């Protein structure tokens, strides 16, 4: 930050002798102001509520009684979600994990699409528009479109053409595959309706990632590719050894986006009325906290803290491992 | 909660931007996790609140003015409510809030409410009465005429005092198309055996006997409640909803074994079907009967509405007959410390009387008046039947999510019912799970 600010300041006498003096008093104030205001907002709007959520997760409150009636319950909320609501909790965590895996696959497909479209084939603009179209829709709208026009058992397009009669894409919570986990009663697995949801999410995610890579590919110096070709690289080698490494900044962003999208997934499932078998952490939190049934603040906060820890864990791991390494 | 990365490709070279992005990503995540915590604080603040002053008829001599918090946010409903308030003659400021927003923020709103608030009968009212945020209006009730005993008990708190004035209601019953029954020679079943026999006949005729929807996990709560009322009776229903009975009891198992007897007559895959799609099947005569609220008519054109009738769910256990009906009631309550109690009570008394609901129904004829003195001459056939069956019911239940802790209804009982429809054979495990989860609720 300092370097950027300093270089933007007009050089004046003495600048070369004492570099630190290029920051006049007014610059410093501006600098503090520009760093301080966002930092203050960030702490006040993100970390203070986060801290309050953690505190509430150790308490019991019906969201109605005065604040003085909030009673501390220790780890009771956590004990309940890990022993009594464990099928909901681990089912939701498993679905979030499935999302991480699936959206990673979709990101790879998005990159492939971008690579192909970047070759200036005929009608590139048309393909780009088609793939990008779903991205301009909010996930809630995407959910609604798929629910009413594609998945609906009685009227859905997919059910008209599906071999072997109508399928209940929205309501069928039976598992496509599952793993038996010791001391967890219902086996963890991917339910049919969540698999259907994954398809709807892919429809949007692929276009999103594609556009990011298209932008990235435009910035790759064509001379690099030419050089690779002259050196006798085939298509795969030139992609693997030359293009892909130069896309590193985009890769960093795409990985983060993919994981964040997977962990925070909520809207499309809510738009489908949260069919059984499709819970993710986001829906568990809101079910207990929001709405008229929102009388279990401590309980919903405990779900929220589990999600927060997952997110923090990922971010800390990612920042320390990848980000610092790329800076050096 | 927008995607902070969307602009990132343009400035991909700078490490600084990426650091900003990482922080931004963290913000988005933390925000997502804590969305709810933030959302609770804004209460009604984000909602568009409109204020309508009802015409005053009593300028100086009346009880003064009061305020009414309203969730009648549809254009027609708003207009109808203003007409009803005007009919009471009490000077009232109506604060209208979007229906769903009002409901979801009610916990916050009731802490600083208007003098009079619109709400629902049953547990949803009792829970707030028990927490001391509602005013006792038993004296208003002593002046009310035309309210049946069923409405009185649905308006009473656990302490026996009244906290609610019923306005209108819509019963749940088995709907059918008169022309289909006439063409096929079906007759209305009065008992469980006749009901099952009729289903069997319909299936033989190539008609799916029962429309079945459960998208959103509430439509089948209606079937659970009906079977419970018929098999175990109203008192058991209240006790079970109050958290005082075990979900693994023989009584509850009897509900599900009776239910299993009619599951073969259901439309397949109920869990994925919206109630509107179930209504569509009944219209097309693909299905023969549909247990749903009378709001079903809102799905149909006039010629189909004229062909729709309903009958009470048949008797299962002769001990209870058909003495109970499910009819969610909407009405009004008073805040615990209103600014003008006299005016608030005058308004509540007025809203509970016939002229107010008459004025309401003149504008919005889709509901049925709670007050039996209301003018029924303008009712269509369905409204008349609704008034008739509810007026003669000994007990009026609300609905599973109105008669118990709404969180328990949505996140435990509703999920269990959906699981049962998906895999009826697992019912013992499902009930054990409901019972274990029930223990974590206090049902205050």
């Amino acid at each position: 930050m300092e370097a950027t600010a300093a270089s933007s300041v007009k050089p004046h006498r003495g600048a070369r002798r004492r570099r630190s003096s290029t920051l006049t008093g007014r610059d410093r104030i501006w600098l503090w102001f520009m760093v301080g205001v966002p930092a203050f907002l960030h702490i006040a709007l993100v970390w203070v509520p986060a801290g309050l959520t953690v505190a509430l997760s150790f308490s019991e409150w019906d969201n109605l009684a005065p604040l003085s009636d909030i009673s501390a319950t220790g780890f009771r909320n956590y004990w309940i979600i890990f022993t009594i609501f464990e099928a909901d909790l681990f089912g939701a965590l498993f679905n979030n994990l499935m999302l991480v895996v699936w959206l990673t696959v979709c990101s790879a497909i998005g990159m492939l699409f971008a690579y192909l479209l970047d070759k200036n084939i005929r009608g590139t603009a048309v393909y780009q528009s088609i793939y990008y179209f779903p991205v301009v829709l909010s996930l809630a709208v995407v959910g609604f479109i798929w629910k009413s026009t594609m998945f609906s058992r009685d009227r859905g397009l997919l059910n008209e053409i599906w071999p072997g009669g109508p399928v209940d894409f929205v309501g069928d919570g039976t598992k496509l595959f599952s793993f038996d986990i010791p001391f967890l009663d219902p086996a963890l697995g991917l339910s049919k309706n969540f698999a259907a949801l994954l398809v709807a999410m892919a429809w949007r995610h692929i276009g999103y990632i594609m556009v990011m890579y298209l932008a990235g590919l435009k910035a790759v110096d064509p001379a690099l590719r030419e050089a690779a070709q002259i050196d006798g690289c085939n298509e795969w080698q030139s992609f693997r050894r030359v293009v892909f490494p130069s896309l590193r900044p985009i890769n960093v962003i795409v990985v983060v986006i993919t994981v964040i999208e997977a962990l925070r997934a909520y809207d499309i499932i809510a738009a489908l009325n949260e069919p059984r078998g499709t819970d993710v952490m986001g829906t568990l939190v809101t079910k207990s906290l929001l709405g008229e049934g929102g009388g279990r603040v401590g309980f919903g906060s405990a779900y929220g803290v589990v999600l927060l820890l997952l997110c923090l864990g990922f971010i800390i791991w990612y920042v320390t491992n990848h980000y610092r390494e790329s800076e050096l | 909660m927008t995607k902070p990365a969307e602009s990132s490709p343009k400035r991909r070279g700078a490490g600084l931007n990426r650091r900003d992005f990482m922080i931004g990503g963290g913000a988005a995540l933390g925000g997502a996790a804590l969305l709810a915590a933030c959302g609770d604080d804004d209460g009604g603040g984000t909602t568009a609140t409109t204020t309508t002053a009802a015409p005053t008829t009593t300028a100086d001599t009346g009880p003064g003015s009061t305020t009414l918090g309203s969730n009648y946010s549809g254009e027609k409903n708003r207009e109808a409510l203003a007409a009803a308030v005007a009919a009471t003659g009490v000077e009232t400021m109506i604060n209208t809030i979007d229906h769903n927003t009002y409901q979801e923020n009610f916990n916050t709103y009731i802490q600083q409410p208007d003098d009079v608030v619109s709400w629902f009968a049953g547990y949803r009212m009792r829970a707030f009465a028990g927490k001391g945020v509602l005013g006792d209006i038993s004296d208003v009730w002593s002046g009310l005429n035309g309210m049946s005993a069923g409405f009185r008990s649905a308006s009473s708190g656990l302490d026996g005092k009244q906290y609610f004035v019923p306005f209108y209601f819509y019963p749940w019953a088995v709907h059918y198309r008169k022309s289909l029954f006439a063409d096929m020679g079906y007759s209305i079943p009065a008992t469980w055996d006749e009901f099952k026999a009729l289903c069997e006949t319909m299936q033989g005729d190539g008609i799916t006997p029962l429309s079945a929807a459960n998208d959103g996990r509430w439509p089948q709560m209606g079937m659970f409640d009906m079977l419970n009322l018929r098999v175990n009776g109203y008192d058991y229903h209240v006790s079970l909803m109050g958290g005082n009975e075990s979900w693994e009891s023989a009584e509850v198992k009897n509900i599900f074994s009776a239910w299993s007897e009619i599951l073969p007559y259901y439309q397949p895959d109920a869990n994925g079907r919206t109630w509107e799609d179930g209504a569509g099947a009944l219209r097309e005569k693909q299905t023969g009967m549909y247990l749903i609220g009378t709001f079903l008519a809102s799905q149909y054109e006039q010629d189909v509405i004229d062909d729709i009738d309903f009958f009470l769910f048949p008797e299962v256990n002769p001990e209870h007959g058909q003495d109970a009906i499910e009819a969610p009631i909407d009405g009004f309550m008073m805040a615990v410390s209103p600014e003008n109690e006299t005016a608030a009570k005058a308004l509540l008394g007025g809203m509970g009387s016939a002229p107010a609901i008459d004025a309401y129904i003149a504008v919005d004829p889709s509901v049925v008046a709670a007050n039996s003195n209301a003018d029924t001459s303008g009712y269509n056939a369905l409204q008349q039947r609704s008034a008739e069956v509810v007026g003669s019911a000994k007990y009026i239940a609300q609905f599973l999510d109105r008669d118990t802790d709404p969180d328990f209804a949505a996140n435990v009982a509703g999920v269990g019912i959906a699981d049962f429809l998906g895999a009826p054979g697992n019912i013992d495990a499902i009930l054990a799970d409901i019972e274990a989860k029930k223990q974590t609720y206090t049902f205050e």
Side-chain angles (χ1 to χ4, degrees):
Chain A
M1 195 53 129
E2 201 160 311
T4 320
S7 63
S8 68
V9 170
K10 265 192 217 165
H12 54 89
R13 272 177 299 161
R16 198 169 290 174
R17 255 183 312 159
R18 290 188 298 127
R19 199 167 176 277
S20 60
S21 73
T22 56
L23 280 176
T24 63
R26 214 169 75 180
D27 286 337
R28 274 175 208 280
I29 292 170
W30 272 109
L31 198 57
W32 275 110
F33 181 70
M34 292 177 75
V35 176
V37 169
F40 170 77
L41 287 175
H42 179 72
I43 290 169
L45 298 178
V46 176
W47 287 107
V48 169
L52 289 176
T53 301
V54 174
L56 282 171
S57 73
F58 294 103
S59 73
E60 190 175 320
W61 184 38
D62 64 0
N63 202 10
L64 180 64
L67 293 180
S68 56
D69 276 17
I70 300 178
S71 54
T73 54
F75 282 89
R76 184 167 177 270
N77 291 325
Y78 292 94
W79 180 80
I80 289 175
I81 64 173
F82 277 97
T83 60
I84 296 172
F85 285 77
E86 83 279 11
D88 305 53
L89 176 67
F90 289 107
L93 287 173
F94 184 82
N95 281 343
N96 278 117
L97 175 71
M98 280 285 108
L99 273 172
V100 172
V101 174
W102 174 250
L103 291 185
T104 305
V105 172
C106 293
S107 297
I109 297 173
M111 178 164 33
L112 177 69
F113 280 14
Y115 189 73
L116 296 175
L117 290 178
D118 192 46
K119 299 225 164 264
N120 286 326
I121 51 175
R122 203 190 306 168
T124 297
V126 176
Y127 288 119
Q128 279 183 27
S129 309
I130 291 173
Y131 295 136
Y132 192 68
F133 168 69
V135 184
V136 302
L137 304 171
S138 96
L139 263 181
V141 176
V142 171
F144 183 74
I145 290 174
W146 279 79
K147 179 179 185 174
S148 55
T149 67
M150 304 296 283
F151 288 151
S152 164
R153 191 189 177 282
D154 299 342
R155 297 174 286 117
L157 182 64
L158 272 180
N159 268 321
E160 294 295 320
I161 57 172
W162 199 265
V167 180
D168 184 10
F169 290 104
V170 179
D172 192 349
T174 50
K175 303 274 192 271
L176 280 174
F177 60 84
S178 60
F179 310 97
D180 271 317
I181 310 282
F183 62 82
L184 191 62
D185 187 17
L188 286 182
L190 178 66
S191 67
K192 284 183 184 168
N193 47 9
F194 197 71
L197 265 171
L198 290 180
V199 174
M201 290 174 103
W203 187 61
R204 185 172 181 277
H205 190 78
I206 289 175
Y208 186 22
I209 299 301
M210 180 197 76
V211 167
M212 306 202 64
Y213 275 114
L214 268 178
L217 284 166
K218 295 272 183 261
V220 173
D221 189 349
L224 282 175
R225 283 194 230 196
E226 273 172 42
Q229 250 169 348
I230 290 164
D231 285 349
C233 283
N234 63 26
E235 187 80 36
W236 168 248
Q237 284 168 326
S238 105
F239 174 76
R240 174 72 188 81
R241 305 281 174 196
V242 178
V243 177
F244 188 71
S246 59
L247 285 173
R248 187 183 169 95
I250 301 287
N251 291 337
V252 171
I253 289 165
V254 165
V255 168
V256 173
I257 284 181
T258 302
V259 175
I260 288 177
E261 287 274 330
L263 289 180
R264 73 167 186 187
Y266 163 74
D267 28 19
I268 192 169
I269 295 149
L272 261 73
N273 261 335
E274 298 156 12
R276 71 201 184 95
T278 64
D279 266 324
V280 292
M281 289 308 294
T283 58
L284 287 187
V285 172
T286 50
K287 272 177 170 178
S288 299
L289 268 174
L290 285 185
E292 199 202 326
R296 304 189 112 198
V297 174
F299 202 72
S301 300
Y303 281 130
V305 170
V306 174
L307 180 57
L308 182 68
L309 290 178
L310 272 181
C311 297
L312 280 181
F314 166 72
I315 288 178
I316 291 169
W317 170 78
Y318 200 78
V319 168
T320 50
N321 277 288
H322 293 246
Y323 179 62
R324 182 198 288 157
E325 171 185 309
S326 74
E327 283 293 283
L328 292 174
Chain B
M1 238 58 61
T2 51
K3 284 148 205 74
E6 226 142 13
S7 60
S8 297
K10 287 176 209 149
R11 34 179 191 136
R12 52 188 263 282
L16 195 70
N17 288 337
R18 268 183 284 145
R19 179 188 287 129
D20 287 350
F21 163 70
M22 295 303 285
I23 294 167
L29 275 168
L34 300 156
L35 169 81
C38 304
D40 285 337
D41 294 331
D42 55 35
T46 55
T47 65
T49 305
T50 54
T51 306
T52 331
T56 1
T57 46
T58 49
D60 301 316
T61 53
S65 70
T66 185
T67 56
L68 167 63
S70 154
N71 60 353
Y72 293 71
S73 55
E75 196 160 333
K76 206 174 192 181
N77 310 50
R78 187 188 305 196
E79 197 187 318
L81 186 72
V85 168
T88 65
V90 181
E91 189 186 337
T92 306
M93 289 283 274
I94 305 175
N95 298 316
T96 307
I97 298 164
D98 168 69
H99 191 89
N100 284 333
T101 313
Y102 183 88
Q103 205 161 314
E104 300 205 336
N105 290 303
F106 193 76
N107 266 11
T108 317
Y109 167 70
I110 195 64
Q111 295 168 48
Q112 282 164 320
D114 292 294
D115 283 2
V116 177
V117 298
S118 35
W119 198 236
F120 315 103
Y123 177 96
R124 273 169 157 171
M125 171 273 296
R126 282 187 198 114
F128 290 109
K131 292 183 175 164
V133 293
L134 302 182
D136 174 13
I137 52 167
S138 303
D139 51 341
V140 173
W141 265 84
S142 58
L144 280 182
N145 295 315
M147 289 290 179
S148 71
F151 284 121
R152 191 187 183 94
S153 63
S155 306
S156 305
L158 294 173
D159 54 8
K161 295 173 183 166
Q162 282 77 51
Y163 292 94
F164 181 85
V165 169
F167 194 46
Y168 63 66
F169 63 88
Y170 48 91
W172 278 60
V174 185
H175 291 73
Y176 64 95
R177 287 199 67 154
K178 287 186 273 192
S179 60
L180 179 76
F181 270 50
D183 291 348
M184 306 299 288
Y186 300 145
S187 54
I188 305 300
T191 66
W192 187 236
D193 287 336
E194 287 174 25
F195 184 65
K196 286 187 289 183
L198 175 60
C199 288
E200 192 65 40
T201 313
M202 281 185 181
Q203 209 161 45
D205 294 337
I207 301 165
T208 307
L210 293 164
S211 268
N214 199 31
D215 184 73
R217 292 188 301 275
W218 59 266
Q220 290 299 322
M221 288 177 181
M223 181 61 89
F224 175 86
D225 284 344
M226 272 333 300
L227 286 168
N228 192 13
L229 292 168
R230 293 291 180 262
V231 174
N232 301 314
Y234 178 77
D235 292 340
Y236 189 83
H237 166 83
V238 171
S239 185
L240 180 71
M241 294 297 112
N244 303 320
E245 306 285 341
S246 167
W247 281 72
E248 294 182 274
S249 66
E251 284 88 346
V252 174
K253 290 195 171 157
N254 286 341
I255 299 171
F256 285 97
S257 63
W259 202 340
S260 298
E261 291 173 33
I262 54 167
L263 276 187
Y265 307 121
Y266 262 41
Q267 273 183 300
D269 302 332
N271 276 328
R273 187 175 294 104
T274 60
W275 75 267
E276 291 96 336
D277 280 353
L282 188 73
R283 184 223 317 259
E284 303 306 321
K285 300 185 183 176
Q286 292 161 355
T287 59
M289 297 176 281
Y290 194 9
L291 174 69
I292 194 89
T294 50
F295 53 81
L296 171 74
S298 69
Q299 290 294 302
Y300 298 143
E301 314 78 50
Q302 193 57 48
D303 60 322
V304 182
I305 294 176
D306 292 340
D307 192 37
I308 294 283
D309 197 0
F310 59 78
F311 57 86
L312 288 186
F313 198 82
E315 168 189 306
V316 179
N317 179 349
E319 193 188 326
H320 302 295
Q322 293 177 310
D323 62 358
I325 188 167
E326 189 142 76
I329 306 165
D330 290 7
F332 304 94
M333 314 186 294
M334 187 178 76
V336 68
S337 49
E339 279 181 31
N340 184 343
E341 188 168 330
T342 323
K345 285 187 171 171
L347 177 66
L348 284 165
M351 295 305 276
S353 321
I357 188 65
D358 286 347
Y360 186 92
I361 288 177
V363 182
D364 173 15
S366 72
V367 296
V368 180
N371 193 308
S372 62
N373 296 337
D375 176 18
T376 57
S377 60
Y379 277 11
N380 62 35
L382 280 177
Q383 281 174 303
Q384 275 168 8
R385 288 271 290 131
S386 302
E388 191 183 304
V389 296
V390 173
S392 62
K394 196 167 159 198
Y395 304 107
I396 302 169
Q398 293 302 298
F399 197 67
L400 203 155
D401 67 1
R402 291 186 178 205
D403 271 341
T404 188
D405 186 315
D407 191 282
F408 173 75
N411 296 337
V412 180
V415 174
I417 289 169
D419 285 344
F420 164 73
L421 291 168
N426 285 351
I427 188 60
D428 288 345
I430 292 166
L431 291 177
D433 189 47
I434 294 179
E435 181 60 24
K437 288 175 175 173
K438 191 199 83 178
Q439 306 292 339
T440 69
Y441 289 83
T442 51
F443 296 96
E444 280 167 345

